[in-house]
Amino acid sequence: MTNPLTPEQEAALVAAIKQAEITTSGEIRVHLEDTCPTPEPLDRAAQVFADLAMHKTAQRNGVLFYMAWESRQFAVIGDIGINSMVPDDFWETTKETVLQLFRAERYVSGLEQGVRMVGEQLQRYYPYNAATDKNELDDSISFGDSKPPRV
């Protein structure tokens, strides 16, 4: 996969993740790949969520932002812990907020806004506890190559 982000954009996204996680025990990841290998991006997001072992956080409060860059597909998915706490329309509202910025070709801003929104909910339901919390997942952007190998 070709990284669609400049080094500055990637650093800004990682900084947004770190900032969102500073007040919560929750974990946020961003995964980018060229194309989505499944018909539904939410299905692919669930696969990536599992591949990144995001379901192994102590409080099951991980959240993944998934984006297939070239095929322009996006999903956001949360683990069972956070999913059971947020309002029913939270994921759809977050997705639509991000997509509004994507439509204006403000991709990094869209992801940053989504990360902030998720961070606020994670802080509300899973506030940071200095005695017990640790960073359970890498904050860096993960990249995948969903294109099948050439034979």
Side-chain angles (χ1 to χ4, degrees):
M1 157 166 192
T2 304
N3 183 348
L5 304 174
T6 66
E8 295 79 15
Q9 289 172 323
E10 190 170 341
L13 275 176
V14 171
I17 292 167
K18 289 180 183 295
Q19 183 63 40
E21 288 183 357
I22 206 163
T23 58
T24 178
S25 64
E27 298 290 335
I28 301 170
R29 297 286 316 257
V30 173
H31 181 84
L32 303 176
E33 58 189 9
D34 293 328
T35 59
C36 184
T38 61
E40 291 295 324
L42 195 55
D43 293 339
R44 177 62 177 154
Q47 289 173 348
V48 171
F49 195 96
D51 290 347
L52 295 174
M54 292 185 67
H55 60 288
K56 293 187 177 182
T57 60
Q59 295 183 304
R60 302 290 303 267
N61 57 2
V63 176
L64 175 69
F65 287 84
Y66 168 82
M67 183 176 176
W69 193 260
E70 290 176 4
S71 57
R72 299 195 183 280
Q73 292 173 291
F74 172 76
V76 59
I77 186 172
D79 205 346
I80 193 167
I82 187 63
N83 195 45
S84 67
M85 304 295 260
V86 295
D88 291 340
D89 66 343
F90 175 71
W91 301 115
E92 189 62 29
T93 301
T94 302
K95 181 179 122 183
E96 281 307 312
T97 298
V98 172
L99 288 176
Q100 282 179 353
L101 288 162
F102 283 5
R103 287 182 197 108
E105 297 185 4
R106 297 178 56 206
Y107 303 105
V108 174
S109 295
L111 290 169
E112 288 173 325
Q113 179 61 29
V115 166
R116 278 191 292 277
M117 291 173 72
V118 165
E120 290 168 4
Q121 292 299 307
L122 287 169
Q123 179 185 9
R124 180 177 181 188
Y125 298 110
Y126 296 96
Y128 179 76
N129 180 336
T132 59
D133 288 343
K134 63 179 184 167
N135 193 9
E136 296 177 86
L137 299 174
D138 190 347
D139 294 334
S140 66
I141 311 302
S142 62
F143 298 92
D145 188 348
S146 58
K147 292 181 179 178
R150 294 181 187 228
V151 180

